[in-house]
Amino acid sequence: MIEGSSNIEGGTNPLEKNIDAWFVQEVLPHQKSLMGYMCNLTRRDASDVADLVQEALTRVYSAAKNKRPKEARNFLFVTARNIFFDEARRAKVVTIETVAEYEDVNIQYESIAPEEQVSAGQEWKMLNQALDLLSPKNKEVIMMRRVYGYSQRETASKLKMTEAAVESHIKHGILKLADVFLKIKRNTEIPFIKSRGNSNQKTGGKLQ
Amino acid sequence: MKRQETENNAAYWLAKLDKDNLIDFNDIDLAFLAARNNDFKAWVEDSDYNRVAFLQLVYVWQHDALAHAYESRVVKVTKKRSIFIAMAATVMLLIMPMMQFLSHSNKDVYETNIGKRQSVLLVDGSKVELNSESKITASITDEERVVTLVKGEAFFDIAHLNGKPFRVFTGEQIITVIGTKFSVHKVGDDIKVVVSEGKVQVDHLKQTASSEMAVLVAGNIAQTKDDEIVVIKDTKEAVEQKLSWRTGLITFDGTTLEDAIAEFNRYNKVKLIFKGSDISQLKVSGQFKSQNYDAFLRLISEGYGLKISYSDSNKVIEISS
């Protein structure tokens, strides 16, 4: 499915996913590795490149409204890189060294598969860790809603909370979990992981 | 800072829209949501920057790592239940009898005789297959989806309904699912749960200090014993074997003679008994039609040299060494 749909050109195919679902499924999974890439490229920490990454994501979304890029990941990386160099040029602080390093990284990311796999695994692990860092009450609400699938209303009655309190817990919980994407450090050594997380896991057996 | 402020707003909207169950996290469509809330429409149409911030939170929320957060940890059953489960179960304990009472009038009853099986399609689209000598009552309303397994064994293929839980009562336990395939076999007060697809939560209805809960995933088999739940992580093949009754077959895999006989007796009016405890622990393997105890008897008489004697009325068959 993934291979087939990524070969479709342009935005005219009526069978194409709506842009929001496409963005969530095809672009955002690369957010974390883009973060790492930009940290290395700019030699800044994640919190410093977060705005840049956000800007790149927004531009990709805007561009995709007209035409979906064929290679979402490459398009995202190139967009982010260009924003950085534009900014650097304007600020006139770009050094020879930075440009040289960009050439290196550029070669690497053309054949980027292993890094992507690592990133998916890392992301998985970090989200799980982030869940443990929430306050107990906050975690309870998130678990009830997300893991056990109770509605906010049901969660409220089961935990004897007001619905407003549940809503507020969801709001704060999701913000903390989203922070995971800011937790990458630049130039971290990334261990090689062979299998790719659980996203391809099959569920269920076939029964006669 | 612009980014944080936008993210805050996005989180506000996610929580708010989720409250009304409007968000389809697997196929997110902002235009759909905007059409249902004018304030959200104004915010989301203000800029692509806002849209992206919202979608980022959707991405985190729908991430498999969260949905499966407990798979890696709880499958090995925790001795100490977290407080919220205790609270949730206590609340459930209080409301369940009331709920059952209220829904008593429009309950559907399904029952099978010995050796028979039956498929039932519930009004919510869920399917239930009843094994031999089994009975369920079902109460499917707009508010609740509840089935009580009164006796025997049933396989459930639960339809997804916007995350609305489906609950199976078994007297002492309560099983909660969203949309999965699993079977429940009730023996006395204990149950065995076999999960072939999706995720299943098992709670004890009565809460004591030591009672446990478990979240099972495909390939898990849970057996309750008093207030304990033992979870076995098994293979897909083993799970299929456990569910072979759905095609009229019994599968033994290193099963004791005692258990094998009990299994045949579930499906047949003719009862098998054994004499002498020395043979009860003999192991048998193989697949049999549930009515074909003759083949089984032939196998053990030849394989283990056991004696088979028929009673006068042919109602009881005795196995001895």
Side-chain angles (χ1 to χ4, degrees):
Chain A
M1 179 198 90
I2 290 161
E3 271 179 19
S5 62
S6 66
N7 287 333
I8 295 168
E9 286 265 12
T12 50
N13 191 324
L15 296 174
E16 212 167 47
K17 286 176 218 160
N18 82 70
I19 181 159
D20 303 315
W22 170 83
F23 192 75
V24 168
Q25 289 161 25
E26 307 290 334
V27 179
L28 290 178
H30 306 300
Q31 183 185 347
K32 198 168 179 67
S33 65
L34 174 67
M35 205 76 165
Y37 168 65
M38 291 309 287
C39 287
N40 286 337
L41 177 66
T42 64
R43 307 191 146 199
R44 297 183 205 155
D45 282 328
S47 54
D48 296 323
V49 297
D51 285 331
L52 217 154
V53 165
Q54 201 66 19
E55 181 59 31
L57 288 168
T58 306
R59 282 198 201 174
V60 168
Y61 182 91
S62 301
K65 284 200 285 198
N66 298 322
K67 184 175 187 243
R68 305 276 166 87
K70 214 170 159 187
E71 299 281 347
R73 181 186 170 88
N74 278 1
F75 185 63
L76 175 66
F77 277 53
V78 169
T79 304
R81 194 189 60 195
N82 287 346
I83 294 172
F84 170 63
F85 282 113
D86 283 350
E87 273 181 10
R89 245 192 310 277
R90 263 196 307 269
K92 295 197 171 152
V93 292
V94 64
T95 62
I96 304 286
E97 195 188 8
T98 315
V99 176
E101 188 168 336
Y102 139 63
E103 299 295 347
D104 285 350
V105 179
N106 191 28
I107 292 158
Q108 276 176 21
Y109 93 87
E110 294 296 344
S111 53
I112 210 136
E115 191 202 325
E116 183 179 3
Q117 290 175 1
V118 170
S119 176
Q122 260 188 347
E123 194 174 301
W124 182 279
K125 202 169 136 198
M126 290 179 89
L127 263 178
N128 262 296
Q129 286 167 349
L131 200 60
D132 282 336
L133 292 176
L134 300 178
S135 77
K137 197 95 226 159
N138 207 173
K139 187 177 164 188
E140 278 169 31
V141 172
I142 299 280
M143 294 290 288
M144 289 291 268
R145 177 72 193 91
R146 184 67 186 98
V147 181
Y148 300 122
Y150 294 109
S151 69
Q152 285 195 28
R153 208 150 289 145
E154 289 171 312
T155 303
S157 86
K158 283 181 199 315
L159 298 181
K160 292 185 178 160
M161 297 165 91
T162 63
E163 287 178 26
V166 169
E167 189 185 324
S168 164
H169 275 296
I170 301 265
K171 184 191 162 193
H172 290 104
I174 191 72
L175 278 174
K176 292 229 179 70
L177 291 174
D179 267 357
V180 162
F181 294 97
L182 295 176
K183 292 266 166 60
I184 207 161
K185 286 199 181 74
R186 71 188 178 103
N187 290 326
T188 41
E189 281 223 332
I190 304 169
F192 182 74
I193 298 171
K194 210 168 180 186
S195 68
R196 184 207 171 90
N198 289 292
S199 53
N200 292 332
Q201 205 176 42
K202 283 183 193 154
T203 50
K206 203 176 167 200
L207 292 165
Q208 294 290 314
Chain B
M1 269 175 76
K2 183 189 175 193
R3 187 169 46 80
Q4 266 108 354
E5 194 191 317
T6 307
E7 200 181 33
N8 266 317
N9 288 334
Y12 165 82
W13 280 116
L14 184 126
K16 183 144 223 92
L17 296 172
D18 178 61
K19 189 178 186 174
D20 296 323
N21 279 326
L22 285 176
I23 310 177
D24 180 352
F25 288 96
N26 294 318
D27 189 17
I28 184 76
D29 184 356
L30 295 179
F32 171 87
L33 294 172
R36 271 146 195 86
N37 187 311
N38 280 332
D39 292 334
F40 178 70
K41 183 176 158 78
W43 179 77
V44 85
E45 286 181 355
D46 182 56
S47 68
D48 284 346
Y49 195 83
N50 287 354
R51 288 169 189 261
V52 167
F54 187 84
L55 292 176
Q56 279 173 307
L57 297 185
V58 168
Y59 172 73
V60 171
W61 189 253
Q62 58 84 47
H63 202 288
D64 281 351
L66 288 187
H68 301 270
Y70 263 11
E71 280 182 17
S72 47
R73 302 178 234 179
V74 174
V75 162
K76 190 104 183 153
V77 173
T78 45
K79 271 286 174 200
K80 276 193 172 177
R81 290 161 303 112
S82 58
I83 297 163
F84 88 91
I85 290 297
M87 283 166 57
T90 310
V91 173
M92 217 110 80
L93 183 62
L94 294 175
I95 60 173
M96 281 319 168
M98 200 171 76
M99 218 177 58
Q100 282 177 306
F101 172 72
L102 286 175
S103 56
H104 189 75
S105 51
N106 53 8
K107 259 184 194 171
D108 296 316
V109 182
Y110 305 94
E111 195 168 4
T112 51
N113 290 325
I114 192 159
K116 299 276 186 271
R117 297 197 310 274
Q118 189 190 348
S119 277
V120 178
L121 183 63
L122 301 177
V123 289
D124 68 335
S126 298
K127 276 173 275 183
V128 186
E129 292 172 38
L130 292 180
N131 200 356
S132 169
E133 273 199 303
S134 302
K135 181 178 179 181
I136 60 163
T137 63
S139 164
I140 311 293
T141 65
D142 288 344
E143 286 76 38
E144 285 282 350
R145 302 198 282 169
V146 179
V147 161
T148 304
L149 179 64
V150 182
K151 64 172 182 177
E153 182 170 25
F155 178 82
F156 296 87
D157 180 353
I158 301 304
H160 250 288
L161 226 64
N162 290 327
K164 190 168 144 192
F166 189 106
R167 300 201 168 91
V168 180
F169 288 98
T170 52
E172 299 293 312
Q173 303 86 9
I174 173 168
I175 298 158
T176 308
V177 302
I178 308 298
T180 66
K181 294 181 184 174
F182 64 102
S183 77
V184 186
H185 182 193
K186 181 171 155 74
V187 182
D189 284 341
D190 287 314
I191 56 167
K192 180 185 253 179
V193 181
V194 178
V195 182
S196 72
E197 208 176 295
K199 195 177 318 185
V200 170
Q201 180 187 335
V202 182
D203 286 295
H204 285 281
L205 213 45
K206 279 198 208 94
Q207 292 297 315
T208 63
S210 61
S211 63
E212 295 169 334
M213 61 78 68
V215 176
L216 314 177
V217 296
N220 287 171
I221 297 168
Q223 171 75 57
T224 69
K225 183 87 184 86
D226 301 327
D227 55 10
E228 276 179 27
I229 306 174
V230 179
V231 178
I232 304 157
K233 269 181 159 177
D234 223 327
T235 60
K236 294 259 152 49
E237 291 72 35
V239 163
E240 280 193 46
Q241 281 181 8
K242 297 271 185 322
L243 298 172
S244 61
W245 61 264
R246 296 173 57 218
T247 51
L249 296 171
I250 306 178
T251 308
F252 301 130
D253 184 12
T255 311
T256 64
L257 186 62
E258 185 176 10
D259 289 344
I261 284 173
E263 195 63 13
F264 269 110
N265 287 344
R266 288 176 63 197
Y267 299 93
N268 297 290
K269 284 185 181 143
V270 174
K271 297 300 174 204
L272 309 181
I273 58 168
F274 63 88
K275 207 165 139 190
S277 58
D278 52 326
I279 62 170
S280 71
Q281 297 307 305
L282 291 175
K283 297 284 199 296
V284 290
S285 295
Q287 197 165 50
F288 302 88
K289 284 194 175 148
S290 50
Q291 263 88 12
N292 195 358
Y293 51 85
D294 279 333
F296 171 72
L297 292 173
R298 257 200 320 275
L299 179 95
I300 56 170
S301 76
E302 285 166 14
Y304 286 119
L306 299 177
K307 238 175 22 210
I308 313 293
S309 40
Y310 296 78
S311 72
D312 294 339
S313 58
N314 267 349
K315 288 277 159 60
V316 177
I317 301 173
E318 192 184 272
I319 305 162
S320 57
S321 51

